[in-house]
Amino acid sequence: MNTADNVVEMRSISKSFNGVPVLKDVSFDVRKGEVHALAGGNGAGKSTLMKILQGVYQADAGEILIGGKPTAINSIQDAKAAGIGMVFQEFSLVPSLTVAQNIFLAAEPLGTGGLIDDRASVRRAKEVFSEMEVDVDPRAGVARLGTAYWQLTEIAKALAQNAQVLIMDEPTASLARHESEALFELIDRLKQRGISIIYISHRMDEVYRLADRITILRDGRHLLTAPLTDVTPEQIVEGIVGKKIEGQLSYRARDHVAQDGAPLLEVRGLTAGQRVRDVSFALRPGEILGLAGLMGSGRTELARALFGIDKVDSGEILLRGKKVSMGSPQQAINAGVALIPEDRRAQGLVLEHSVQDNLLLPLLGQIQRGPLLDGAKGKELSSSLIKRFAVKVAHPHRPVRLLSGGNQQKVVIAKWLGTDPDILILDEPTAGVDIGTKSEILDMIRELASAGKGVIVISSEYPELLAVSDRVLVVKDGSIIRDIPRSEIADEEYLQLAVQGV
Amino acid sequence: MSNANITAPRDTVAPRNFGTILKELDWRRYVIYIGFVVVFLFFAVLLRDQGFLSPNNLLNIFRQTATITVIAVGMTYVIACAEIDLSVGSVAGLSSVCTAMALSQWGLVPGILAGLAVGLVVGSINGALVSLLGIPSFLVTLGMLGIAVGVAQWITASAPQPILNDTFNTLFGSGNFGPVPGLVVWSAIFVAIGAVVLNRTRFGRQVLATGGNRNAAEFTGINTKRIKFQVLLISGMVASVAGMLYAGRLQSGRFQWGSGDELSAIAAVILGGTSLFGGFGSIIGTLFGALLIGLINNGLILAGLDSSQQQVVRGAIIILAVALARKK
Ligand SMILES: Nc1ncnc2c1ncn2[C@@H]1O[C@H](COP(=O)(O)OP(=O)(O)OP(=O)(O)O)[C@@H](O)[C@H]1O
Ligand SMILES: [Mg+2]
């Protein structure tokens, strides 16, 4: 094939951090108007490869060709000038500015006297949004927008700078289903306009829905590049994980739930703020309860109220039949409840601290000797957690910030499971983790339940929810509208209709 | 930030009708104006016999707050950028001293240049230490506070330096422009330039972006180190001008001039609605924050409180106002 068709070509890229090789001789190319999926396990080097293309890091060896011409990309500005735009998940917008101000940040249209013409940016932002065929108010403050709008704003920002290639790193990780669908339609339209998209995702259905070709990285090496018509899902999964895994997302009936037994947790008429209204349910030992619902339906807020973060306005919470008050997370933890939060970076981790310190944070009581902490014991405990959860980290003392996204998620989960809670609430536990790890996490959830613990899983991925839940509660506008035993849910579609309240 | 607040099935942001605008209107940002009016009315009624409302007293309030206003304009940039500058008060003092000494030795222009040079040098050092070495500005400028005041005391042997140059004194603070006191004109100029630059120039926008989300700014191609350097440099320069205003008004240079002003300026900025966490700044708010502090000082003096009581009341009012203006 002719290299001139390639808008981007990366040849033999290698990169190490502090002597640890992360990318080894990786080649990658993107054609005009194609969606190219980039897949691989957690820590395989996907984000690093893209950051090299984006000018955030520089490769140790290899070259980058843009439109067939060797181009040095030494800074983010270089990448922008070369027509490469990136939709970051976490940090590319300034919450205190408006949508239009963010889109034209550092490239503001200037009016008379060299002063910023904010009206012109609003007008041009509107043009970009109408080309994207989405409706976003450019004057809205970004802080008040939901994730889906952040993303649309980021895409608009890249397009306003004439990006020809858009890099999307796990763009649907925090989107609700209908929002993801809207994003896919947008990607289709962008493709039609000749814009190329590099799409990183751990979700196979998305890859098949969108991508023309796929490249798989494993442990920093290029494994294969192929049109999606030429590879089967099984081959892809095997390529990513390095071994065959079967039936990871199928439901396995477990008979540990004593349906008539006394509930571990009982919630009666719980109301907290605007998003949790008159919620009642019971969780039995050994049961896995799935919470389904649209984004914003109040599932996260329910979890927060149960964990003592949000104030409970009325209603009661009973643990093993005894009324308790969850005034603070500390009380909840003491009562044996653990919450694995949704936004791992903001709520789950101290990013600058080491993996070990993060893991031990909820466990300080266990490693205390007198008034002091027992260093050796802490080290032992954290190493065992790292091993048990297969966290990919060079050394327990490295800051969590340097871990890949999926490995950060593993640290959050490991951290809370270390406390050995009786009731575990997981909010989107597999966001951003690779397929291999996902099935490990689901297995772990099943194991915990089989050991008699109560588990509540919040997930926007229906296959995952259906794979583990014994019972699914459908949440809408802060209330539970359906309570369906797993055996009555025939398939994903049934659940989807239930969630939409049909 | 919660990222779970979309339920609309399509990509639409709620239409901005009047009701939603009213609801979205963040009254905390306007608390300063409300507070200003309330305190003003309170004193106007309570102190009507002490001449609070006399034109002379009102002009006095402006005159007395001018230096704080000027310093606070620079401070607004620093705080909007999520940094802090504790050295401004002592920079003002050092600048007044250097101006006075250079003025008596070499004349008007060298005097002014000497004052500005103080701001340039101190601001650059602050900026370089913060942006290049990554030392928190709190520590850098706390150290600089001591250094500047020490140098000012040292080179003058703690003695006041009289300024006999009438042109200088008229220009910087003692004179009037027509009926308007020069100090009022100075603060008006700083507020006007400060507001336009912060709201309508790329530099201002980049300051807000850096303070609002440094990573995002960095990834947008903004040189955030340079921005941090620049805001601290500006703050130092502005403080040195404030020092010259002290020198002109009090017709002397003295190391005590400006001491403690950093706290008043920070209070003015925060009262004015600039976020202590960066990302949002309002120069007009800062102006009213400074005026409110001036108003309170003036009212308490007229009410006959002694200076220890004044300090207590002032502190309590500031804490109260900031508590009202705080984030949810
Ligand atoms: N700045 C850095 N310094 C040191 N190591 C790093 C740095 N950035 C990434 N790494 C390491 O490089 C490896 C690859 O990380 P990368 O983020 O590219 O993985 P990924 O494929 O995007 O994974 P995920 O699917 O989990 O997001 C990881 O082991 C990570 O710990
Ligand atoms: Mg990644």
Side-chain angles (χ1 to χ4, degrees):
Chain A
M1 88 133 264
N2 187 346
T3 44
D5 292 349
N6 291 333
V7 267
V8 169
E9 198 177 336
M10 303 178 81
R11 283 190 189 155
S12 303
I13 302 286
S14 295
K15 174 78 185 169
S16 332
F17 289 110
N18 313 316
V20 183
V22 169
L23 291 173
K24 297 160 219 158
D25 195 22
V26 174
S27 295
F28 179 71
D29 63 76
V30 183
R31 298 176 194 155
K32 188 172 168 60
E34 83 164 340
V35 177
H36 194 142
L38 186 56
N42 294 131
K46 307 177 293 292
S47 299
T48 305
L49 185 67
M50 288 304 109
K51 282 182 183 161
I52 288 172
L53 183 56
Q54 179 65 13
V56 177
Y57 300 142
Q58 275 74 51
D60 300 336
E63 60 173 345
I64 298 176
L65 287 76
I66 306 287
K69 277 195 285 295
T71 309
I73 297 184
N74 294 321
S75 68
I76 298 163
Q77 284 91 326
D78 287 352
K80 247 192 237 173
I84 291 159
M86 181 141 182
V87 179
F88 290 97
Q89 195 76 75
E90 292 130 359
F91 39 57
S92 84
L93 296 181
V94 181
S96 54
L97 299 179
T98 68
V99 168
Q101 287 172 343
N102 266 291
I103 292 177
F104 293 103
L105 190 57
E108 290 90 355
L110 299 181
T112 40
L115 296 181
I116 291 178
D117 187 350
D118 267 324
R119 248 176 274 165
S121 26
V122 168
R123 206 169 48 238
R124 278 171 48 190
K126 272 194 183 134
E127 282 166 22
V128 177
F129 282 125
S130 78
E131 269 174 46
M132 288 163 61
E133 297 175 37
V134 293
D135 190 7
V136 180
D137 183 353
R139 274 164 306 204
V142 164
R144 283 205 308 272
L145 297 180
T147 329
Y149 295 108
W150 277 62
Q151 215 164 53
L152 291 174
T153 305
E154 296 202 0
I155 295 172
K157 182 171 167 181
L159 294 179
Q161 288 153 3
N162 281 319
Q164 292 306 303
V165 180
L166 272 183
I167 304 168
M168 298 191 183
D169 197 343
E170 298 183 41
T172 57
S174 46
L175 295 188
R177 181 162 279 248
H178 67 272
E179 293 163 352
S180 305
E181 196 44 53
L183 176 71
F184 300 157
E185 283 164 20
L186 174 60
I187 290 176
D188 287 339
R189 288 194 293 273
L190 293 175
K191 205 172 123 171
Q192 238 117 63
R193 286 179 42 200
I195 289 173
S196 314
I197 286 151
I198 303 173
Y199 193 89
I200 301 181
S201 175
H202 290 294
R203 298 185 185 170
M204 294 299 285
D205 49 337
E206 292 178 2
V207 170
Y208 271 89
R209 157 81 173 74
L210 292 169
D212 302 299
R213 287 195 298 160
I214 185 168
T215 289
I216 298 177
L217 301 184
R218 193 200 295 161
D219 294 332
R221 285 181 199 283
H222 176 264
L223 193 72
L224 67 87
T225 296
L228 273 165
T229 44
D230 292 0
V231 285
T232 65
E234 289 74 28
Q235 283 173 310
I236 295 179
V237 172
E238 204 187 322
I240 292 169
V241 184
K243 60 174 192 249
K244 274 202 168 63
I245 45 174
E246 277 146 23
Q248 29 122 9
L249 284 186
S250 56
Y251 177 66
R252 279 174 241 155
R254 293 170 310 109
D255 44 18
H256 302 275
V257 191
Q259 276 306 338
D260 42 358
L264 199 54
L265 168 77
E266 202 180 341
V267 176
R268 291 188 194 147
L270 189 75
T271 298
Q274 295 297 308
R275 296 258 183 80
V276 180
R277 297 195 195 125
D278 194 19
V279 170
S280 303
F281 68 89
L283 174 71
R284 282 168 226 290
E287 187 174 37
I288 304 175
L289 204 56
L291 292 189
L294 295 176
M295 201 154 270
S297 56
R299 294 168 301 168
T300 294
E301 288 75 6
L302 175 58
R304 290 168 58 99
L306 289 177
F307 193 58
I309 300 174
D310 291 345
K311 202 176 133 292
V312 171
D313 295 327
S314 65
E316 28 189 58
I317 301 172
L318 293 90
L319 283 181
R320 289 187 200 80
K322 271 222 310 280
K323 211 184 136 184
V324 290
S325 95
M326 295 290 185
S328 67
Q330 197 52 51
Q331 272 176 312
I333 292 169
N334 290 343
V337 179
L339 169 69
I340 296 179
E342 166 183 48
D343 182 350
R344 58 177 173 253
R345 290 178 73 93
Q347 297 158 5
L349 295 171
V350 185
L351 288 173
E352 292 300 326
H353 289 185
S354 71
V355 173
Q356 174 167 334
D357 289 348
N358 270 285
L359 285 173
L360 295 181
L361 199 54
L363 302 176
L364 295 178
Q366 286 181 31
I367 56 168
Q368 220 162 15
R369 205 169 39 186
L372 301 177
L373 295 176
D374 184 340
K377 201 162 166 204
K379 204 164 153 190
E380 195 181 303
L381 198 58
S382 66
S383 313
S384 80
L385 285 170
I386 290 174
K387 212 188 265 145
R388 180 165 153 213
F389 291 89
V391 178
K392 211 179 152 198
V393 56
H395 196 277
H397 286 299
R398 307 210 68 188
V400 163
R401 175 172 55 84
L402 297 181
L403 263 58
S404 76
N407 278 301
Q408 290 183 0
Q409 180 75 339
K410 287 191 196 173
V411 174
V412 179
I413 296 184
K415 165 180 155 183
W416 284 112
L417 288 187
T419 64
D420 196 25
D422 293 332
I423 297 171
L424 183 64
I425 309 171
L426 303 104
D427 196 351
E428 304 287 356
T430 65
V433 304
D434 66 37
I435 307 178
T437 315
K438 184 183 282 185
S439 71
E440 281 167 26
I441 291 178
L442 296 186
D443 276 339
M444 217 144 51
I445 293 175
R446 291 185 186 111
E447 238 171 74
L448 286 168
S450 298
K453 307 197 182 295
V455 185
I456 299 177
V457 179
I458 300 174
S459 172
S460 299
E461 281 187 70
Y462 297 142
E464 164 180 315
L465 210 51
L466 290 177
V468 291
S469 310
D470 300 311
R471 200 148 57 90
V472 175
L473 302 180
V474 178
V475 183
K476 191 176 184 188
D477 296 332
S479 308
I480 293 179
I481 57 165
R482 296 276 302 272
D483 179 344
I484 327 172
R486 174 66 181 86
S487 53
E488 286 173 24
I489 304 175
D491 50 19
E492 240 182 282
E493 203 169 330
Y494 179 94
L495 184 57
Q496 197 174 339
L497 291 176
V499 163
Q500 273 149 15
V502 185
Chain B
M1 212 206 62
S2 158
N3 53 16
N5 44 19
I6 298 186
T7 43
R10 281 299 308 180
D11 303 321
T12 47
V13 167
R16 294 164 70 84
N17 63 32
F18 189 67
T20 52
I21 288 179
L22 251 192
K23 221 185 322 169
E24 284 175 358
L25 195 119
D26 186 2
W27 66 271
R28 284 179 177 80
R29 261 164 62 180
Y30 302 99
V31 78
I32 177 63
Y33 306 108
I34 303 167
F36 183 81
V37 171
V38 168
V39 171
F40 187 87
L41 291 178
F42 178 75
F43 282 144
V45 173
L46 193 76
L47 302 172
R48 62 184 175 279
D49 297 332
Q50 277 88 344
F52 176 77
L53 282 177
S54 75
N56 216 352
N57 186 50
L58 294 182
L59 265 187
N60 243 338
I61 295 177
F62 269 106
R63 211 178 284 139
Q64 282 157 358
T65 34
T67 39
I68 295 293
T69 306
V70 168
I71 293 177
V73 166
M75 187 70 79
T76 307
Y77 281 77
V78 179
I79 293 181
C81 198
E83 297 291 343
I84 196 90
D85 187 350
L86 297 176
S87 67
V88 284
S90 51
V91 168
L94 180 58
S95 150
S96 76
V97 163
C98 290
T99 302
M101 291 171 87
L103 210 59
S104 63
Q105 287 275 337
W106 300 298
L108 181 63
V109 176
I112 296 175
L113 290 180
L116 290 175
V118 168
L120 186 74
V121 170
V122 175
S124 304
I125 297 176
N126 283 342
L129 290 175
V130 169
S131 65
L132 297 182
L133 297 188
I135 309 175
S137 53
F138 181 84
L139 297 176
V140 169
T141 59
L142 185 62
M144 196 52 86
L145 182 158
I147 295 175
V149 109
V151 170
Q153 202 169 350
W154 189 8
I155 58 178
T156 60
S158 304
Q161 307 292 311
I163 297 177
L164 305 172
N165 186 319
D166 284 338
T167 323
F168 179 85
N169 288 339
T170 314
L171 213 54
F172 287 89
S174 290
N176 293 337
F177 290 80
V180 191
L183 282 170
V184 175
V185 175
W186 275 103
S187 33
I189 293 174
F190 271 85
V191 167
I193 296 178
V196 171
V197 170
L198 189 62
N199 296 321
R200 296 291 305 279
T201 64
R202 284 199 180 154
F203 170 71
R205 194 58 58 76
Q206 295 183 353
V207 169
L208 294 178
T210 303
N213 183 344
R214 185 169 185 183
N215 268 324
E218 192 76 44
F219 278 79
T220 308
I222 294 171
N223 187 341
T224 57
K225 281 187 178 161
R226 197 173 72 204
I227 297 288
K228 300 230 168 210
F229 177 84
Q230 285 168 334
V231 293
L232 285 164
L233 176 58
I234 288 174
S235 170
M237 296 289 291
V238 169
S240 70
V241 174
M244 290 192 268
L245 293 177
Y246 273 116
R249 172 155 66 104
L250 302 167
Q251 314 206 338
S252 63
R254 205 166 176 178
F255 74 91
Q256 290 106 323
W257 295 164
S259 93
D261 279 4
E262 58 280 348
L263 294 183
S264 306
I266 292 168
V269 172
I270 301 302
L271 283 173
T274 294
S275 164
L276 195 47
F277 306 102
F280 182 84
S282 163
I283 297 282
I284 304 298
T286 295
L287 168 64
F288 276 85
L291 285 177
L292 178 59
I293 293 175
L295 203 62
I296 293 170
N297 287 344
N298 180 274
L300 294 180
I301 292 170
L302 289 190
L305 269 67
D306 71 32
S307 75
S308 54
Q309 292 166 320
Q310 281 174 37
Q311 288 202 29
V312 173
V313 175
R314 204 183 311 148
I317 291 179
I318 289 174
I319 291 177
L320 182 74
V322 173
L324 283 175
R326 80 194 193 281
K327 283 185 163 178
K328 268 177 279 197

